[in-house]
Amino acid sequence: MMPDIKANIDTVKKEITRMCKHVGVAENQPKLVAVSKVQPIERVRAALEAGHRVFGENRVQEAEERWGELKPEYPDVELHLIGGLQTNKASNAVALFDVIQSVDRPKLAKALATEMDKQGRKLPIYLQVNTGREEQKGGVLAEDLEGLLADCRTLGHNVVGLMCIPPANDDPTLHFALLKKFAKKHGLARLSMGMSGDYALAAAMGATDIRVGTAIFGARDYS
Ligand SMILES: *Cc1c(COP(=O)(O)O)cnc(C)c1O
């Protein structure tokens, strides 16, 4: 059965607002990025019909298939790439997405800068930080962040913030705190952190972009 997407969005937003008020950051409401990867298109349409416009996808090809159809219908949609990106997909990513949250290495930063110049599309980017130092996960290691940021600025990128995905079995608190510390140190305003399991905590800790999939759309069916 299709979940009540509109009700879910309202619930998540209310909870975010409640947490922000609770800790006294109510004036800066975080942006809710509805993560639509793998979800059936009817569920994505339900979110659009409920008036939601900010979405996240983690794979370029899947996003192209879905949003190639939906974006012309909803031209005010803001699409965030939140997953790992191969340099050979940089061209497609720049053409489709409005924000790239997952820049994590100089080679990718270079490829994206080249494409943005070529296409005349200057997209805001986030640097993804591998705060949990997990081998299988994307993201720059803490000690390489400063160098990557310098590279990005030299390339003319508009680096607006940092993003992290804490290890599944860790308390996310320390990872969110670390991300916030790095952002402050480097003068970056935006913090993309928090998912379905910990979005309220992320809101309380100053997230500006919260990426929620399951709590809005229901469980993803990978079968
Ligand atoms: C899938 C995904 C999410 C959403 O996860 P949920 O637990 O379903 O809310 C958030 N961020 C990233 C980077 C993801 O890949």
Side-chain angles (χ1 to χ4, degrees), residues 26-174:
E27 71 281 8
N28 296 324
Q29 272 287 314
K31 184 179 274 191
L32 177 59
V33 181
V35 179
S36 47
K37 66 182 186 198
V38 187
Q39 299 289 350
I41 198 157
E42 311 83 65
R43 297 188 185 191
V44 185
R45 280 196 178 279
L48 286 161
E49 279 156 22
H52 197 78
R53 290 294 180 270
V54 186
F55 292 84
E57 291 279 352
N58 72 335
R59 293 183 55 228
V60 176
Q61 197 184 330
E62 183 194 338
E64 278 177 329
E65 285 163 16
R66 159 171 311 160
W67 291 99
E69 175 185 337
L70 291 173
K71 242 193 165 185
E73 278 180 62
Y74 294 93
D76 55 340
V77 156
E78 182 181 299
L79 209 52
H80 292 232
L81 178 62
I82 60 171
L85 179 60
Q86 291 168 307
T87 49
N88 63 3
K89 299 255 177 69
S91 169
N92 299 51
V94 169
L96 179 69
F97 288 93
D98 303 293
V99 180
I100 312 276
Q101 289 202 9
S102 45
V103 178
D104 63 357
R105 56 198 193 280
K107 196 170 162 230
L108 176 59
K110 178 89 177 44
L112 286 169
T114 303
E115 275 309 320
M116 287 184 200
D117 284 345
K118 210 188 267 178
Q119 299 183 30
R121 268 174 72 73
K122 186 116 189 114
L123 310 182
I125 65 167
Y126 295 61
L127 304 187
Q128 182 180 344
V129 185
N130 189 349
T131 56
R133 312 185 71 82
E134 293 173 284
E135 259 181 47
Q136 79 285 6
K137 211 168 251 176
V140 63
L141 292 175
E143 61 270 28
D144 299 327
L145 174 59
E146 193 162 348
L148 178 61
L149 181 61
D151 286 346
C152 287
R153 287 178 169 156
T154 302
L155 287 163
H157 273 302
N158 177 22
V159 186
V160 297
L162 300 178
M163 184 268 253
C164 77
I165 310 167
N169 300 316
D170 263 20
D171 179 348
T173 312
L174 294 174

Side-chain angles (χ1 to χ4, degrees), residues 19 129-134 137 163-182 191-207 210-211:
M19 285 310 286
V129 185
N130 189 349
T131 56
R133 312 185 71 82
E134 293 173 284
K137 211 168 251 176
M163 184 268 253
C164 77
I165 310 167
N169 300 316
D170 263 20
D171 179 348
T173 312
L174 294 174
H175 298 275
F176 294 166
L178 199 57
L179 198 71
K180 192 171 176 175
K181 189 182 98 176
F182 292 149
L191 280 174
S192 175
M193 55 192 204
M195 311 186 359
S196 290
D198 51 23
Y199 67 84
L201 173 70
M205 291 185 68
I210 303 185
R211 312 176 309 264

